[in-house]
Amino acid sequence: VMLSGDGNLVLIHDETVNRTTNGKGSVSELTLEELKKLDAGCKFDPRFRRQRIPTIYEATEAISGYDLSANIEIKPAKGHEGETGWALGRYLATEWPTNLIAPIISSFSAEALESVAVEAPGFPRALLVDRVPRNWRAQTKRLGCSLLHCNQGHLRKAEAEKIRETGLHLVCYTVNNARKARNLWGWGVNAVISDHPDRLLDISGMRAMTSRDATEPVLFEFRVIVHQLIGEIGEVVTFPPKTLTSGASPFGASTSRT
């Protein structure tokens, strides 16, 4: 998620709309009304014409309708790390449906993870990295993260085993090859993020783990609108009360529901 210029959380990958829509400009400088006028599908395939950039509210409604949960990555525009984390935290604390499994909140930004925890401390957080840093243990502990998400291309077996020994949940991206997924599973990796989950369903033992009662998660990322969580990471968290005492945004902005 990323903040629009008028404080709305939207789902988009880049800091600008240039590559993925028929418009131009920075997401952080465009209002939600301006973003909603853009076609976010025409550059990919004619079948997707007139697809609009979704808000966090629309994405939540979609996953609720399909009985899914989510891995929400905070992708703040440069200079908006804390503000974006705070805005998502406020949304989670006040708007996330209590009948849904708590989403995993991941980010490359330590500042964003710290800020989301101010408003929504009970939601599971994941430190997102490319290569696993040498101080991964200290970083995850300081940020209160129960998961570590890393690039599968850089992960080694001994490294995975050491991480799992600490009790951290280990998730790898982006795994589109069944053989690679099987190897990672053998290393103790808890879950994989994939553009093509259908390619991974025939992995031995994986089908048995695709129910909501599974003790280990199977995590797939559909890079369109929502992230699907099959199963759970740990226990369902206790949601904070709707009436918050944390006060106004320390960043001088507030999330909007337009």
Side-chain angles (χ1 to χ4, degrees):
V1 292
M2 193 177 298
L3 274 180
S4 67
D6 55 351
N8 284 277
L9 287 164
V10 296
L11 276 67
I12 190 167
H13 186 276
D14 300 355
E15 290 191 32
T16 73
V17 299
N18 301 9
R19 182 178 67 89
T20 59
T21 78
N22 61 344
K24 291 185 178 181
S26 298
V27 176
S28 61
E29 296 177 356
L30 296 170
T31 66
L32 181 60
E33 182 179 3
E34 290 171 326
L35 291 170
K36 281 295 188 181
K37 292 178 180 178
L38 303 178
D39 189 326
C42 63
K43 284 192 173 182
F44 297 93
D45 192 288
R47 294 174 298 170
F48 304 142
R49 288 187 185 279
R50 292 183 291 279
Q51 294 295 319
R52 305 304 173 190
I53 297 172
T55 66
I56 188 71
Y57 293 96
E58 292 166 333
T60 301
E61 183 178 356
I63 64 174
S64 179
Y66 287 103
D67 193 28
L68 305 175
S69 189
N71 170 48
I72 304 175
E73 181 186 347
I74 307 172
K75 296 182 69 69
K78 187 176 181 179
H80 297 272
E81 292 83 0
E83 181 182 0
T84 308
W86 179 89
L88 178 61
R90 173 53 64 98
Y91 170 77
L92 294 172
T94 61
E95 302 285 349
W96 187 261
T98 56
N99 63 308
L100 293 183
I101 296 172
I104 298 165
I105 310 304
S106 65
S107 186
F108 283 98
S109 168
E111 184 179 353
L113 289 171
E114 290 173 333
S115 296
V116 75
V118 171
E119 294 292 336
F123 289 77
R125 296 183 296 282
L127 176 62
L128 187 54
V129 298
D130 183 20
R131 293 179 182 271
V132 176
R134 292 184 178 181
N135 64 342
W136 59 267
R137 193 191 306 260
Q139 282 197 53
T140 53
K141 183 177 181 180
R142 180 176 67 84
L143 295 169
C145 293
S146 55
L147 303 97
L148 182 64
H149 293 186
C150 69
N151 187 330
Q152 55 88 14
H154 302 312
L155 186 68
R156 298 296 176 261
K157 181 179 180 181
E159 197 172 37
E161 291 174 344
K162 184 176 293 186
I163 293 169
R164 290 293 295 123
E165 286 173 1
T166 68
L168 278 175
H169 291 276
L170 182 60
V171 178
C172 289
Y173 67 89
T174 301
V175 184
N176 295 326
N177 180 278
R179 179 179 297 179
K180 182 65 177 181
R182 187 180 294 108
N183 288 340
L184 292 170
W185 228 256
W187 295 356
V189 170
N190 295 98
V192 295
I193 294 172
S194 178
D195 297 320
H196 300 282
D198 55 302
R199 299 177 185 176
L200 310 182
L201 291 178
D202 290 330
I203 295 176
S204 177
M206 188 174 284
R207 285 192 183 277
M209 300 174 68
T210 58
S211 72
R212 294 179 67 88
D213 296 326
T215 56
E216 295 287 337
V218 181
L219 183 65
F220 299 129
E221 178 178 343
F222 291 95
R223 297 177 183 272
V224 184
I225 296 179
V226 298
H227 296 175
Q228 177 179 9
L229 175 67
I230 305 176
E232 300 179 30
I233 296 240
E235 298 177 344
V236 177
V237 303
T238 301
F239 286 82
K242 293 296 184 180
T243 302
L244 302 177
T245 58
S246 49
S249 165
F251 305 96
S254 61
T255 51
S256 304
R257 183 169 190 170
T258 305

